[in-house]
Amino acid sequence: APAFMVAQVLGAAAATLLFRWLVPALPQAAPDILVPHPGAASTVIFACVHNAGRSQMAAAFFNAMADASRARAVSAGTQPGERVHPEVIAAMREVGIDLSNAQPQRLTPELANKGNLLVTMGCGEACPAVPGLRRDDWPLTDPKGRPIEEVRRIRDEIRDRVAALVAAEKWKRSA
């Protein structure tokens, strides 16, 4: 019986170490991150593959439409590009939003853990599933290399989806 008990304790310790190794994205403070404090602003993460088009547009529209005391948005990518696509910068400039200084960033587990909602846009299985984080997927065409007319259509669809999200969650700016 003593050998059996020692084996059980060693097995439990090995399982704990394996779990911590497999799920490094959940730090000890995760419960505070995953359950926002009352009155804390929500964080929406818009993610696509290169963080150089769709997610950049969505975050910019969101931050222009939403009340910052209620919610804010960040964008990220699973394989971030070097810069925002020029055609995206041009299309957004047409509606008064300047993305020329926006910088693509990686969607890390740490960043995902700070969110309340993850909206993916074409990264499919490459986007992480984060326990406690709501997730939605918007199947949108990648604007990279597309003619400006098509980029405008994608931009307008993103704007409409963001407006619907902001209204549904009651995050709209006061007039």
Side-chain angles (χ1 to χ4, degrees):
F4 177 76
M5 289 173 46
V6 168
Q8 291 293 314
V9 169
L10 290 176
T16 300
L17 291 173
L18 179 63
F19 179 79
R20 288 185 180 166
W21 179 73
L22 289 173
V23 189
L26 296 175
Q28 295 300 321
D32 290 336
I33 294 170
L34 297 176
V35 180
H37 298 289
S42 295
T43 299
V44 177
I45 302 167
F46 291 99
C48 63
V49 176
H50 297 117
N51 189 221
R54 297 164 288 190
S55 57
Q56 291 281 351
M57 289 190 281
F61 278 130
F62 187 95
N63 289 328
M65 294 177 195
D67 179 344
S69 69
R70 295 184 190 149
R72 67 181 189 91
V74 295
S75 68
T78 55
Q79 300 168 14
E82 292 181 24
R83 59 181 166 65
V84 175
H85 303 311
E87 56 271 25
V88 169
I89 293 171
M92 292 300 283
R93 189 171 287 137
E94 292 176 355
V95 294
I97 297 176
D98 183 10
L99 291 180
S100 61
N101 292 322
Q103 186 64 41
Q105 68 174 329
R106 182 170 306 284
L107 177 60
T108 63
E110 294 78 20
L111 177 62
N113 278 334
K114 293 178 184 173
N116 303 91
L117 172 63
L118 173 64
V119 179
T120 57
M121 303 172 172
C123 55
E125 297 301 317
C127 283
V130 181
L133 183 65
R134 285 179 27 214
R135 184 169 171 186
D136 194 6
D137 184 62
W138 295 353
L140 298 163
T141 304
D142 187 350
K144 181 180 181 182
R146 306 273 181 190
I148 192 66
E149 298 81 21
E150 195 169 343
V151 177
R152 287 178 184 132
R153 183 191 58 71
I154 295 165
R155 174 201 66 201
D156 294 345
E157 182 178 355
I158 290 170
R159 182 193 57 224
D160 293 346
R161 286 175 176 263
V162 168
L165 172 64
V166 169
E169 297 291 333
K170 298 179 177 42
W171 289 328
K172 191 171 180 151
R173 282 181 197 261
S174 301

